[in-house]
Amino acid sequence: MFNQFTTGLALSGGGARGLAHIGVLQALEDYGIKVDMVSGTSMGAIVGSLYCAGYSPIEILNIAQEKRFVGFFNLKIGKFGLLKTDMLFRILSELIPADSFESLKIPMNVCVTNLNTGEYEIKSEGNLIPYIVASSSIPIVFRPQVIGDTTYIDGGLANNLPVEPLFTFCDKVIGVHVNHKRFIEKVGGIRSVAERSYQLAIWQTVKDRLAACDLVIEPKKARDFGTFEFSKAKELFEIGYMEAEDVIYRMTKGLNLGKVDDLIRRKSLISEGEENKL
């Protein structure tokens, strides 16, 4: 099982659909699958960073249901996109006051897109919050984030499932993808066309990375929710939980759980004996 290895968790972007990640995290905890490293883009970066900071999935769900969090995504688009991201900065600064990757309890990687080079970058040290906000800055909707001399936007544009650092440091990699590509009978209105175009573009950054994961969790029912339906946090949490539970069931179906328990006990005793010799 996965908890016998170093396990990495990649969390995709997807706007409000990314709240399904919280349910996935709860299911992994409930079934004893320990996460040793996280890598995330956009909402995956927000949820992942809070989890790595020590917040439980239920605590993250409660944060996602707060009026100020939901209110941040009640969009009023100006000439250059949403003019203010200071509210998200304030929320994250209150929740993670140390503002550093090094302060996190679990190693975290945040994916951002460098507008100057056109390439994605993985950030894992130094200041944390500016890169979470940059990773969440959907093009056109949010103003790009300038950090130093570099302009950054949503990491999902170049890499919506940043598995690369996990393959480097982890034995097993779980990919959680919530931004599904599916058939849509009719697309109407400028906002729908823009959202659909963005989904199709970022799908090209995901498909090969999904195929490389050891385990894939795709909460397909999340596809019925819009990018900005942040008021549906509870429903998305439940969708993520149930999908993760179904995957765990399919993964363990047919196993002789009695022999697995015996194996775990024997391996634990061997490990304890080796530690006592040191």
Side-chain angles (χ1 to χ4, degrees):
M1 295 295 290
F2 279 88
N3 58 339
Q4 298 301 304
F5 298 88
T6 302
T7 302
L9 182 67
L11 303 177
S12 77
R17 291 182 291 273
L19 298 176
H21 292 319
I22 309 172
V24 171
L25 286 166
Q26 184 65 62
L28 294 179
E29 283 198 355
D30 287 351
Y31 287 92
I33 299 176
K34 180 177 177 290
V35 174
D36 299 292
M37 178 179 280
V38 179
S39 187
T41 290
S42 197
M43 187 53 60
I46 294 176
V47 171
S49 294
L50 290 174
Y51 186 71
C52 290
Y55 290 92
S56 71
I58 294 300
E59 288 173 328
I60 300 172
L61 175 61
N62 290 335
I63 291 167
Q65 292 176 306
E66 290 180 3
K67 287 184 179 180
R68 60 177 182 164
F69 188 87
V70 175
F72 173 74
F73 294 97
N74 285 335
L75 302 178
K76 294 181 180 179
I77 301 175
K79 183 178 179 181
F80 300 106
L82 190 68
L83 297 180
K84 295 182 179 180
T85 54
D86 57 329
M87 183 183 295
L88 184 57
F89 268 101
R90 286 199 301 271
I91 293 170
L92 292 172
S93 296
E94 291 175 16
L95 295 169
I96 312 175
D99 186 21
S100 72
F101 284 93
E102 290 77 10
S103 71
L104 301 176
K105 301 178 187 301
I106 299 172
M108 178 69 197
N109 304 275
V110 172
C111 181
V112 291
T113 297
N114 183 324
L115 268 185
N116 300 97
T117 65
E119 303 291 336
Y120 76 85
E121 296 179 6
I122 304 292
K123 303 297 183 181
S124 59
E125 58 184 25
N127 292 117
L128 170 66
I129 293 171
Y131 289 109
I132 300 177
V133 175
S135 183
S136 306
S137 296
I138 300 172
I140 308 302
V141 177
F142 296 110
R143 181 184 288 272
Q145 301 298 305
V146 179
I147 303 174
D149 296 325
T150 305
T151 302
Y152 293 102
I153 57 170
D154 187 353
L157 185 64
N159 184 348
N160 201 40
L161 194 73
V163 295
E164 286 77 6
L166 306 181
F167 287 136
T168 300
F169 295 106
C170 302
D171 297 306
K172 299 292 181 181
V173 174
I174 302 172
V176 187
H177 177 237
V178 299
N179 206 26
H180 304 286
K181 171 183 161 298
R182 59 167 179 163
F183 173 78
I184 296 178
E185 186 171 343
K186 184 177 180 180
V187 181
I190 186 65
R191 180 166 171 172
S192 295
V193 171
E195 184 175 346
R196 176 64 169 168
S197 300
Y198 187 62
Q199 288 175 356
L200 293 176
I202 65 177
W203 167 246
Q204 302 306 315
T205 77
V206 169
K207 54 185 181 180
D208 291 339
R209 292 179 170 96
L210 272 180
C213 292
D214 296 289
L215 185 68
V216 172
I217 300 173
E218 288 191 283
K220 292 181 174 59
K221 290 184 179 179
R223 68 176 62 171
D224 297 328
F225 293 77
T227 301
F228 302 107
E229 287 194 80
F230 284 88
S231 61
K232 306 292 186 180
K234 180 63 175 176
E235 293 95 320
L236 285 158
F237 172 91
E238 291 172 352
I239 287 169
Y241 187 95
M242 288 187 292
E243 183 62 31
E245 197 172 48
D246 285 347
V247 170
I248 293 168
Y249 167 73
R250 293 194 299 271
M251 186 173 66
T252 58
K253 184 180 180 181
L255 287 179
N256 186 327
L257 295 180
K259 288 188 70 67
V260 171
D261 286 340
D262 179 64
L263 175 63
I264 292 172
R265 283 194 295 270
R266 286 190 286 112
K267 292 293 185 180
S268 296
L269 287 173
I270 292 172
S271 296
E272 290 174 4
E274 291 175 348
E275 289 177 1
N276 290 334
K277 291 179 182 179
L278 296 178

